[in-house]
């Protein structure tokens, strides 16, 4: 067998796959509107990004958000700049 021939097998590390929902935010007169990126489906409205992050938690654990030409992350209901 290969092991007897001196072939060393290394265990591969498991990689966690994270599904990310893509969304974008519009700011209209101080209200923030969250939409799904591919369908433009309305997800929710709030006064702050923190409130939108909580609303987005019902959609997905991790949401990539385009806002003011930046990419933000809503992770488990919190706003982050990285994941």
């Amino acid at each position: 067998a290969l092991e007897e021939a001196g072939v060393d097998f290394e265990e591969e590390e498991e990689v966690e796959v994270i599904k990310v929902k893509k969304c974008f935010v519009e700011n209209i007169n101080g209200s923030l509107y969250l939409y799904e990126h591919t369908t433009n489906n309305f997800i929710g409205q709030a006064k702050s990004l923190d409130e939108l992050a909580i609303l987005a938690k019902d959609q997905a654990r991790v949401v990539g958000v385009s806002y003011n030409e930046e990419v933000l992350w809503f992770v488990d209901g919190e706003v982050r700049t990285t994941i």
Side-chain angles (χ1 to χ4, degrees), residues 17-45:
V17 176
I18 299 173
K19 292 186 178 185
V20 176
K21 187 174 198 82
K22 297 178 189 173
C23 294
F24 66 93
V25 173
E26 283 188 328
N27 184 344
I28 301 173
N29 298 325
S31 292
L32 302 177
Y33 300 88
L34 183 65
Y35 298 91
E36 190 173 347
H37 187 270
T38 53
T39 63
N40 291 342
N41 284 340
F42 175 73
I43 295 172
Q45 170 186 348

Side-chain angles (χ1 to χ4, degrees), residues 17-23 36-38 59-65 71-75 83:
V17 176
I18 299 173
K19 292 186 178 185
V20 176
K21 187 174 198 82
K22 297 178 189 173
C23 294
E36 190 173 347
H37 187 270
T38 53
Q59 299 291 314
R61 185 176 160 253
V62 179
V63 180
V65 181
V71 173
L72 300 172
W73 302 96
F74 294 167
V75 181
I83 50 174

